[in-house]
Amino acid sequence: MNISSAVFVQSNSDYKLCPPADRPEYVFIGRSNVGKSSLINLLTSKPGLAKTSQIPGKTRLINHFLINQEWYIVDLPGYGWAKVSKTEREKWDATLRQYLKKRENIMCVFVLLDSRLEPQAVDLEFMQWLSENSVPFAMVFTKIDKHSNTKNESNLAHYEAVMLEQWEELPLYFITSAVLKEGKEALLNYIEELNSLFIVTPPSLSAKKNPGNLS
Ligand code: GTP
Ligand code: MG
């Protein structure tokens, strides 16, 4: 898929204030600093579109970007950010989960995972929650330029083994690096495939759009 336009639409902190759910939406989420904004910039070929920083937790809102005037990318704050108060964290967590459950046009939540790290409880729990709430998702391993191919392969095999303790089969996954521009084509192809499955549902009939149960 060729990205001809990518524009920032709006930021807000409530799913009810998001733009109309009339086109497919793809959510990028993961722990702080995992590389969400960098990956969005890679996919759209717009280095400054989503702000990147070395200060974890910089993106603190639901941020919508309109791509090719046809679909949305959403950049979300990193979860598991220790430097905010417990109350603030819980408030954001509730907002986030409500958005993920209620937003009808989400076609896929891309859960970003740092390829260098051991499987983190917070990520495993979050994917479990997505599955329990029928929110479609895929795993995206980031920063693979930081290690050799051999190390990446053994880390991935380990991740797979840990996942298979909980899951019957491994969810779909992608391997990426914003530095090497790796994974861009595979992700865009997947998005294109899901875009073709999107059906606009009148608000009165709205039901969660899950690629698994579209007919
Ligand atoms: P928050 O919004 O703060 O949660 O962070 P984020 O997940 O959006 O991460 P961001 O894209 O801002 O990247 C965090 C840091 O990791 C930045 O210094 C990036 O330059 C770096 N980074 C992101 N992706 C990659 C990658 O693929 N390879 C390498 N080597 N560094 C990366
Ligand atoms: Mg960010």
Side-chain angles (χ1 to χ4, degrees):
M1 178 174 22
N2 186 32
I3 305 280
S4 54
S5 67
V7 288
F8 170 72
V9 182
Q10 65 178 58
S11 296
N12 61 65
S13 59
D14 188 336
Y15 83 94
K16 293 188 195 119
L17 302 173
C18 289
D22 58 356
R23 53 198 81 204
E25 184 154 315
Y26 300 89
V27 182
F28 290 79
I29 193 165
R31 296 168 74 239
S32 297
N33 226 34
V34 71
K36 297 173 292 293
S37 300
S38 304
L39 187 67
I40 290 170
N41 293 338
L42 170 70
L43 291 180
T44 57
S45 303
K46 279 206 169 180
L49 187 69
K51 294 188 178 70
T52 58
S53 83
Q54 294 190 346
I55 307 161
K58 178 153 185 181
T59 321
R60 310 288 323 277
L61 293 160
I62 303 168
N63 303 291
H64 274 81
F65 300 89
L66 181 61
I67 313 300
N68 289 353
Q69 306 206 355
E70 283 173 1
W71 50 281
Y72 290 120
I73 277 180
V74 169
D75 186 15
L76 288 174
Y79 52 75
W81 193 41
K83 290 203 180 105
V84 295
S85 70
K86 189 164 171 262
T87 324
E88 220 180 310
R89 214 167 44 234
E90 283 173 356
K91 193 169 154 226
W92 171 251
D93 199 55
T95 304
L96 170 69
R97 283 171 203 250
Q98 201 178 35
Y99 159 73
L100 292 170
K101 281 206 281 192
K102 301 263 168 107
R103 185 79 174 157
E104 293 154 357
N105 57 333
I106 295 176
M107 298 299 277
C108 186
V109 174
F110 291 109
V111 180
L112 274 64
L113 305 160
D114 189 324
S115 61
R116 297 168 296 176
L117 302 182
E118 278 279 312
Q120 306 285 302
V122 69
D123 293 323
L124 299 174
E125 282 161 20
F126 182 63
M127 290 189 275
Q128 196 68 45
W129 182 88
L130 289 172
S131 165
E132 282 163 14
N133 287 278
S134 305
V135 183
F137 76 93
M139 301 189 290
V140 176
F141 293 97
T142 63
K143 308 192 185 184
I144 56 150
D145 55 284
K146 296 264 196 180
H147 278 319
S148 67
N149 286 348
T150 319
K151 180 75 178 147
N152 283 329
E153 277 163 26
S154 69
N155 283 356
L156 184 61
H158 177 56
Y159 211 104
E160 199 171 327
V162 172
M163 284 296 282
L164 291 177
E165 288 169 12
Q166 279 182 30
W167 295 75
E168 266 174 41
E169 55 183 84
L170 198 65
L172 180 67
Y173 68 86
F174 297 88
I175 305 283
T176 69
S177 161
V179 170
L180 302 175
K181 303 193 192 315
E182 175 87 30
K184 176 176 174 172
E185 205 182 329
L187 275 166
L188 289 178
N189 285 345
Y190 184 59
I191 290 171
E192 191 170 27
E193 197 182 312
L194 293 184
N195 280 349
S196 70
L197 298 174
F198 184 79
I199 300 165
V200 179
T201 313
S204 59
L205 300 175
S206 67
K208 186 118 209 143
K209 300 218 171 38
N210 183 335
N213 61 20
L214 281 180
S215 57

